[in-house]
Amino acid sequence: MALADEFSKYRSPLVSRYASKEMAFNFSDRKKFSTWRKLWIYLAQAEKALGLPITDAQIAEMETHAEDIDFSMAADEERKLRHDVMAHVHTFAHYCPTAAPIIHLGATSCYVGDNTDLIMLRDGFDILLPKLARVLDRLANFAEKYADLPTLGFTHYQPAQLTTVGKRASLWLQDLCMDMRNLERARDDLRFRGVKGTTGTQASFLQLFQGDHDKVEELDRMVTEKAGFKKAYLVTGQTYSRKVDIDCLSSLASLGSTVHKICTDIRLLANLKEIEEPFEKEQIGSSAMPYKRNPMRAERCCSLARHLVALMADPLQTAAVQWLERTLDDSANRWTSMHILISLPESFLTADIILSTLQNITEGLVVYPKVIERHIRHELPFMATENIIMAMVKAGGNRQDCHEKIRVLSQEAAAVVKQEGGDNDLLARVKRDPYFTPILGQLDDLLDPTTFIGRAPQQVSRFLSEEVHPLLEPYKAKLNVKIDLEL
């Protein structure tokens, strides 16, 4: 019956279908409320160390029951008290009767609420960064492998000067490197809210310590250190500034933009049959068209990336409407009535899914060099016209006469391609025209695709060496994790 009930209510597919276990747990009730209890323990330990009448027995009792969360009792308490933090204070106190008088001593709700948010944000980044590093690593290997393989470049999605498959991948890598630095900066910029009181003035703690400012500052420092942060915000209102949420989610939204561009490129190239994402042996592309190999992973990344970008609106609006020391305008889009986060966890969960999927894609990208070569042959004669003109001039020809000859032959060849659906026969027309006899022996060299890619291979090599590999160095121990998508 319980299982049937589970399928009778809405479940977010971010958690039920896609998200990793570690990211789902990071924003779970279990993680949140156990962190509240740890924060109450840190506070009691620091207050005791600084002279308040708190006993070792009280702290030991709290530590013993830190994970014994009676969620049913907490829900009953909240229905009665209409206050989630006090509901959990009472629930914790029920199992810690000796410690009950000193649980949450001097603190406000945001001591546990906001500090827990900051811990979850920090831990969320620590989950995402190695995953992003693995995507960078896989794409770097791909770029290196195909650094020399010529391919048509596209501007306005029209054939343009040649590039290489690896050079195109390095453009994706460059954006991801920016995202890596953005995520690292957002994580490293996070501070702890610390021990600040109801409006951020620390008045309650100053009273507890009988006006001893040094002890209040030391209390803040000790609790911050116990929570694993190097610094706390020196000033806060009731909450930490909601600008912090903007900084965190903007880095994730920017990542979403990058992934959308990369996966759109893959989808376009799949249509050309030049590159494909992995396709499982028994995978079905279409229920009606058995031959199809839809780029469903790239499509998933694009759809989730749009959601990730759209979530950026919430923290912007929330920060804008925080009156004076604080309002609860964040209670619906940032929190639910149980203070379970919405926009923050959804952003991290979505980014987590995107990176896992993108790693799977980049580990199995398939390149079809013969298809790429055919497309080059189709377009290269047009691109080589300038080289042909220069060769004729070097052989004694007149640049203007040669230009006119090439213009006429190019238009004739274009008409065959566009109006008759034929192949590009410009090269054959050039060979048949006696005017070009002086350079017939050079045509193969003039049409060698490798002469049209400029310094693309050298650019890839230098970029990987100077920018990508140093960025991956801190994550070397975590790069060998492989992703097998269940769906």
Side-chain angles (χ1 to χ4, degrees):
M1 183 63 182
L3 184 61
D5 289 344
E6 184 66 23
F7 290 96
S8 299
K9 59 186 178 182
Y10 175 76
R11 298 184 302 162
S12 169
L14 294 179
V15 174
S16 63
R17 286 177 64 87
Y18 300 127
S20 66
K21 291 180 180 178
E22 63 266 29
M23 189 62 83
F25 175 75
N26 187 55
F27 291 98
S28 67
D29 282 358
R30 175 74 60 184
K31 166 77 177 281
K32 181 171 120 176
F33 295 126
S34 65
T35 302
W36 283 15
R37 293 188 173 191
K38 290 175 185 176
L39 289 168
W40 283 322
I41 293 169
Y42 298 156
L43 180 61
Q45 289 172 335
E47 288 176 335
K48 176 183 181 297
L50 292 170
L52 292 189
I54 296 171
T55 67
D56 289 336
Q58 289 174 312
I59 293 174
E61 186 180 56
M62 293 168 72
E63 290 174 333
T64 298
H65 296 285
E67 301 294 335
D68 301 338
I69 303 175
D70 189 332
F71 289 99
S72 178
M73 178 183 288
D76 290 341
E77 287 289 331
E78 184 171 3
R79 278 191 289 271
K80 180 173 62 175
L81 302 174
R82 301 295 179 180
H83 196 288
D84 60 336
V85 173
M86 287 307 300
H88 278 268
V89 168
H90 285 200
T91 301
F92 196 19
H94 177 80
Y95 287 89
C96 303
T98 303
I102 56 93
I103 294 173
H104 200 65
L105 182 60
T108 185
S109 297
C110 286
Y111 167 69
V112 288
D114 275 34
N115 282 325
T116 294
D117 292 350
L118 292 162
I119 290 170
M120 287 178 166
L121 293 175
R122 179 198 63 195
D123 293 352
F125 280 123
D126 286 341
I127 294 170
L128 291 179
L129 283 164
K131 295 189 176 191
L132 178 52
R134 291 196 287 270
V135 172
L136 283 166
D137 177 70
R138 284 16 170 213
L139 267 181
N141 294 337
F142 180 86
E144 184 176 31
K145 180 178 180 179
Y146 294 104
D148 300 320
L149 182 61
T151 188
L152 279 177
F154 289 90
T155 57
H156 312 276
Y157 201 44
Q158 303 300 312
Q161 185 61 263
L162 299 192
T163 182
T164 70
V165 172
K167 173 61 190 298
R168 177 176 287 142
S170 73
L171 299 180
W172 302 339
L173 276 165
Q174 180 169 247
D175 289 352
L176 288 171
C177 285
M178 294 173 66
D179 293 315
M180 174 69 88
R181 288 188 285 266
N182 286 340
L183 263 65
E184 288 178 336
R185 178 202 54 76
R187 179 200 59 190
D188 294 343
D189 281 353
L190 282 174
R191 298 186 185 187
F192 204 49
R193 179 191 176 271
V195 180
K196 296 296 194 297
T198 53
T199 58
T201 65
Q202 299 177 307
S204 59
F205 297 103
L206 191 62
Q207 183 176 3
L208 279 174
F209 288 103
Q210 299 179 337
D212 191 328
H213 291 266
D214 291 338
K215 283 191 174 182
V216 174
E217 289 206 4
E218 181 62 11
L219 178 72
D220 204 357
R221 188 201 65 77
M222 289 176 67
V223 174
T224 296
E225 185 178 273
K226 287 175 181 292
F229 285 81
K230 295 179 180 179
K231 293 182 178 180
Y233 296 108
L234 295 179
V235 295
T236 72
Q238 187 172 90
T239 69
Y240 67 79
S241 171
R242 296 309 182 216
K243 291 280 286 186
V244 174
D245 296 344
I246 293 175
D247 282 352
C248 292
L249 266 60
S250 66
S251 67
L252 300 183
S254 181
L255 172 65
S257 176
T258 296
V259 173
H260 198 290
K261 184 265 190 292
I262 293 171
C263 289
T264 299
D265 284 356
I266 291 172
R267 293 165 66 186
L268 292 171
L269 294 169
N271 174 260
L272 298 175
K273 297 179 173 60
E274 292 189 358
I275 288 179
E276 283 184 344
E277 67 178 37
F279 198 86
E280 308 301 333
K281 183 178 180 180
E282 298 182 3
Q283 183 175 331
I284 296 174
S286 168
S287 62
M289 296 168 280
Y291 59 87
K292 292 196 75 180
R293 292 170 65 97
N294 296 334
M296 50 83 69
R297 291 173 177 85
E299 290 173 318
R300 179 188 300 171
C301 282
C302 286
S303 63
L304 289 170
R306 290 197 305 274
H307 179 59
L308 183 53
V309 171
L311 286 169
M312 185 65 235
D314 276 352
L316 290 168
Q317 299 274 7
T318 298
V321 297
Q322 287 299 291
W323 302 352
L324 305 174
E325 277 66 51
R326 189 268 171 96
T327 70
L328 272 175
D329 286 280
D330 57 4
S331 64
N333 66 2
R334 187 175 181 273
W335 312 61
T336 68
S337 60
M338 281 288 288
H339 282 288
I340 301 171
L341 298 153
I342 296 179
S343 60
L344 297 184
E346 283 215 354
S347 293
F348 279 83
L349 288 163
T350 304
D352 177 72
I353 299 161
I354 286 173
L355 289 175
S356 295
T357 308
L358 188 56
Q359 179 183 335
N360 179 264
I361 292 171
T362 54
E363 285 177 345
L365 277 177
V366 181
V367 177
Y368 296 105
K370 293 298 182 182
V371 176
I372 293 172
E373 182 182 341
R374 184 173 74 244
H375 291 157
I376 290 174
R377 285 200 310 269
H378 190 73
E379 299 292 343
L380 192 59
F382 292 141
M383 299 178 190
T385 54
E386 185 68 17
N387 289 9
I388 293 172
I389 292 172
M390 293 301 101
M392 279 297 298
V393 171
K394 289 179 182 179
N398 179 285
R399 192 263 177 197
Q400 315 313 328
D401 293 342
C402 185
H403 184 279
E404 179 60 19
K405 284 276 189 181
I406 289 292
R407 186 188 68 81
V408 173
L409 295 178
S410 295
Q411 291 187 356
E412 291 172 353
V416 170
V417 172
K418 295 178 180 179
Q419 297 174 17
E420 301 175 20
D423 293 332
N424 187 339
D425 64 354
L426 175 59
L427 185 58
R429 293 173 184 273
V430 169
K431 289 180 177 179
R432 289 197 301 266
D433 193 318
Y435 177 81
F436 295 99
T437 300
I439 64 164
L440 289 182
Q442 303 178 45
L443 283 180
D444 287 343
D445 291 337
L446 291 174
L447 289 165
D448 179 359
T450 61
T451 65
F452 288 81
I453 60 175
R455 298 190 64 254
Q458 292 76 18
Q459 289 178 342
V460 172
S461 178
R462 183 180 178 188
F463 173 66
L464 295 179
S465 174
E466 295 186 15
E467 295 204 28
V468 179
H469 294 152
L471 204 56
L472 294 178
E473 192 64 29
Y475 305 95
K476 285 182 67 174
K478 299 181 179 180
L479 293 181
N480 292 327
V481 178
K482 187 174 173 62
I483 292 292
D484 292 314
L485 295 182
E486 294 183 7
L487 295 171

